Amino acid sequence: MTCLHLLLTLGFAVSLGTPVEIQRPRGVPLTKKQFYEENKPFTCLDGSRTIPFDRVNDDYCDCKDGSDEPGTAACPNGSFHCTNAGYRPMFIPSSRINDGICDCCDTTDEYNSGAKCENTCKELGRKEREVLHKMAEITKEGFLLKRQLIEEAKKGHQEKQSKVTDMQENKKQLDEKVEALRTVKETAEQPEKEAKERHLKAWEEQKAAIRLEKDKAKMAEAFLELDDDADGFVSVSELQSHAELDPDADGTLTEIEAQGLLGGAEQVDTSTFESVWPKIKDKYHSESQPEEPAPVETPPDEVKEPVVDNDSEPYPEDDISEEEDEDDEDEDDYHEDDDKAPPTVKTPEKSDEDDEAMPPYDADTQALIDAAQKARDDFEEAEKALREMDDQIRNIEKELSFDFGPDAEFTYLYNQCYELTTSEYIYRLCPFNRVSQKPKFGGSETNLGTWGSWSGPENNKYLLMKYEHGTGCWQGPNRSTTVKLTCGKETVVTSTSEPSRCEYLMEFTTPAVCQEPSNADLSPHDHEEL
């Protein structure tokens, strides 16, 4: 029975004024009066036996179903009917008759117990009518909101379908634009590539020439350094003065080894030295170039090795700490010196690198590079726009594919989230997406389930939402949440609970489930008995 139906029923009951009492045995509802006629024997309602009518309500149980004692506590399985004029009629177990406790608001259950009961049916009826009136108003207003939601959803659905159609047409044009720009890009990149390769080839040739000149200069310098007697020849004995040229690395350059480096000759002139130079140039140390200072060549790890060795000795912890402190100070001093040393040692290297840096592109090559870069930028911009359009189309089509109710009344919940804060947690419901739980005072979020399906009863599946496959419980199942939807003017999460381990229940009010109020006239037989 709807809220409006109950409200009209109670209103009708009150409007009649003083109810007319229809004579029947105590505890018998009006619907069963025809079975209790005083002038006829009484047949138990289960048909088990027939007894004289004067044995009805005689405080002795004759019928197995207890139907002969509707107004006494004689039968353990009997029931007593409370008329409750002005409120709702009800049945109570026969055992509560005359037990000293007022169960019927009209006090009829305590007719012989001496209990002082007060008839509260009118007051209860008034309060219930107020509640039902409020519920009826909420249902009415909620349904009006629902109609607006349906209209907005219908309009939005049409707009989205139209937008998808337009975007798909634009996408075709954008596809063509991307392909055209791809061709422009590839066309511009080919001459750019060729120009860069030419520039690089020229630079490689130039570098090779520079290196060759440097190598010749080093060779001439080495020849002069080796020619100790300045006779225009480098002899075996003169070559032996450079032990670093020792082929077998035994520390001594023998006469035979030196002669072998000179190609078997006792001495060579400048022209012949050109064939000797490739064999010795990698090992040769020029007398004019000072050796690099040892601290610069020593890696930091090697400086720290003595500290590691000290740590390996069985020193007390205090001593180790002092040693490490002293070593740290030494290391700091070393790094300070290291900061000062590199400029004098590394300056020539930087100069060489600067000399070997590739020169800027010429104007024609740079123009080709700029043109190719512009073509790449245009292509990437168009390609990005195409990806974004694909994403938009995919998202809209996904939204249109959802089941938002018979009239799409739940559409407005999409892409929205609603929160409920309790003493410990913040619960967050994002319809058609997920449910989550987060500690109120900090901590990570827990997934209580992602959108599964509508799971209400057959007559209205849109009363329950099911969210599944949430974060797994410790040694338990994955969390899941059932969302129960009820009619309300506002869209809000009203409560959460955990009826079973890892299974949550969330109550959610929304105008989308409000049903149209019934305005049908009620015929007399539809009213509750008085």
Side-chain angles (χ1 to χ4, degrees):
M1 183 180 294
T2 64
C3 297
L4 185 61
H5 191 173
L6 285 173
L7 185 61
L8 292 174
T9 300
L10 290 171
F12 178 81
V14 173
S15 66
L16 290 178
T18 303
V20 177
E21 183 179 358
I22 299 176
Q23 296 297 325
R24 58 188 185 275
R26 191 190 304 274
V28 175
L30 184 61
T31 54
K32 294 181 180 180
K33 176 186 177 300
Q34 68 270 24
F35 301 113
Y36 296 86
E37 295 186 15
E38 294 185 13
N39 300 326
K40 295 181 181 180
F42 175 74
T43 300
C44 300
L45 297 184
D46 62 359
S48 58
R49 63 184 298 189
T50 299
I51 59 174
F53 192 82
D54 58 3
R55 290 167 65 177
V56 173
N57 280 342
D58 66 347
D59 205 20
Y60 183 84
C61 191
D62 298 293
C63 299
K64 293 180 180 180
D65 61 357
S67 57
D68 65 311
E69 299 296 320
T72 73
C75 297
N77 59 341
S79 60
F80 179 84
H81 180 261
C82 305
T83 302
N84 292 343
Y87 187 52
R88 288 181 286 123
M90 61 182 291
F91 285 92
I92 63 172
S94 295
S95 59
R96 297 184 184 178
I97 299 173
N98 292 323
D99 62 351
I101 299 175
C102 305
D103 297 293
C104 302
C105 67
D106 61 2
T107 75
T108 53
D109 61 312
E110 299 299 321
Y111 60 88
N112 197 30
S113 67
K116 296 181 179 180
C117 297
E118 182 179 353
N119 191 324
T120 59
C121 290
K122 288 185 178 179
E123 180 63 17
L124 291 174
R126 183 187 66 79
K127 290 181 178 179
E128 184 172 69
R129 285 192 299 276
E130 289 179 358
V131 172
L132 292 175
H133 180 73
K134 289 181 180 178
M135 291 176 63
E137 287 297 318
I138 290 173
T139 302
K140 181 179 178 181
E141 294 180 28
F143 182 73
L144 293 176
L145 292 173
K146 178 180 179 179
R147 291 173 62 180
Q148 295 178 13
L149 294 174
I150 292 173
E151 289 299 318
E152 292 173 1
K154 182 178 179 182
K155 181 179 178 182
H157 189 271
Q158 293 173 347
E159 290 176 351
K160 287 182 175 66
Q161 283 185 325
S162 176
K163 185 176 180 179
V164 168
T165 302
D166 293 341
M167 291 178 71
Q168 287 173 339
E169 288 297 322
N170 293 335
K171 181 177 177 293
K172 293 179 182 178
Q173 299 176 6
L174 196 52
D175 275 327
E176 296 173 357
K177 181 180 179 181
V178 168
E179 291 307 313
L181 289 174
R182 189 194 304 277
T183 302
V184 172
K185 178 179 77 74
E186 292 172 352
T187 303
E189 284 177 337
Q190 184 60 33
E192 175 200 34
K193 178 183 177 183
E194 294 172 356
K196 281 185 172 182
E197 288 175 351
R198 285 194 301 270
H199 181 85
L200 181 60
K201 182 179 179 182
W203 170 232
E204 291 294 341
E205 292 174 352
Q206 184 179 349
K207 281 197 299 181
I210 292 172
R211 292 192 187 111
L212 182 59
E213 289 300 322
K214 288 182 178 180
D215 190 58
K216 286 182 178 180
K218 288 181 181 179
M219 181 183 68
E221 182 182 2
F223 185 86
L224 293 175
E225 289 176 354
L226 291 169
D227 186 10
D228 292 333
D229 55 7
D231 62 352
F233 293 93
V234 174
S235 64
V236 171
S237 59
E238 289 172 333
L239 193 62
Q240 283 182 281
S241 64
H242 283 260
E244 75 273 9
L245 300 178
D246 177 22
D248 56 9
D250 62 356
T252 303
L253 180 60
T254 66
E255 183 178 348
I256 296 175
E257 289 173 337
Q259 192 171 6
L261 292 174
L262 294 178
E266 290 294 329
Q267 60 182 14
V268 294
D269 58 9
T270 304
S271 60
T272 309
F273 187 73
E274 291 181 3
S275 62
V276 176
W277 176 242
K279 303 175 186 178
I280 66 173
K281 65 179 181 180
D282 292 335
K283 294 183 178 181
Y284 181 78
H285 291 313
S286 175
E287 296 172 1
S288 63
Q289 183 178 358
E291 294 184 2
E292 294 182 358
V296 175
E297 294 180 353
T298 304
D301 293 340
E302 294 181 12
V303 175
K304 294 181 181 179
E305 284 181 1
V307 178
V308 176
D309 292 341
N310 289 340
D311 288 345
S312 65
E313 297 177 8
Y315 289 151
E317 292 183 2
D318 294 340
D319 293 341
I320 292 174
S321 179
E322 292 175 2
E323 290 283 343
E324 290 176 350
D325 291 341
E326 291 175 4
D327 290 336
D328 290 341
E329 292 175 2
D330 294 341
E331 288 176 17
D332 292 340
D333 294 338
Y334 165 74
H335 288 305
E336 290 177 3
D337 295 339
D338 195 19
D339 292 339
K340 297 175 182 177
T344 59
V345 176
K346 295 185 179 180
T347 299
E349 296 178 6
K350 289 184 179 179
S351 177
D352 292 342
E353 290 174 2
D354 293 339
D355 290 343
E356 294 187 1
M358 187 172 68
Y361 294 109
D362 60 77
D364 292 339
T365 301
Q366 190 61 51
L368 291 172
I369 293 172
D370 294 341
Q373 186 58 48
K374 183 179 184 305
R376 280 190 290 270
D377 292 342
D378 292 343
F379 171 75
E380 290 171 1
E381 184 179 350
E383 196 175 41
K384 179 182 178 183
L386 180 60
R387 287 196 303 269
E388 291 176 351
M389 184 171 290
D390 277 333
D391 290 341
Q392 292 178 16
I393 293 174
R394 188 161 46 251
N395 290 336
I396 295 175
E397 288 178 340
K398 178 183 177 182
E399 180 178 350
L400 293 175
S401 69
F402 273 104
D403 180 3
F404 288 129
D407 299 306
E409 58 268 35
F410 297 98
T411 303
Y412 82 105
L413 298 176
Y414 190 73
N415 280 338
Q416 301 295 320
C417 292
Y418 305 89
E419 291 186 350
L420 174 67
T421 301
T422 64
S423 58
E424 295 183 52
Y425 297 101
I426 299 174
Y427 292 90
R428 185 177 176 87
L429 167 65
C430 301
F432 307 105
N433 188 0
R434 66 196 296 265
V435 181
S436 62
Q437 173 196 63
K438 187 175 182 180
K440 186 176 180 181
F441 302 105
S444 59
E445 186 178 78
T446 301
N447 183 2
L448 302 186
T450 55
W451 168 250
S453 62
W454 296 104
S455 58
E458 290 185 6
N459 62 332
N460 189 356
K461 69 176 183 178
Y462 301 103
L463 293 178
L464 293 177
M465 287 177 163
K466 189 68 175 179
Y467 294 80
E468 304 168 311
H469 310 299
T471 304
C473 287
W474 173 251
Q475 295 183 343
N478 288 347
R479 290 174 172 83
S480 62
T481 301
T482 299
V483 180
K484 180 181 178 182
L485 282 68
T486 56
C487 173
K489 294 186 293 182
E490 298 180 353
T491 304
V492 62
V493 178
T494 57
S495 68
T496 59
S497 59
E498 190 177 1
S500 301
R501 183 172 180 244
C502 307
E503 296 180 1
Y504 297 82
L505 175 64
M506 183 174 283
E507 296 192 359
F508 184 62
T509 63
T510 168
V513 296
C514 294
Q515 300 299 315
E516 184 175 8
S518 174
N519 295 320
D521 293 334
L522 298 176
S523 57
H525 65 269
D526 287 331
H527 293 140
E528 300 291 344
E529 65 179 76
L530 303 180

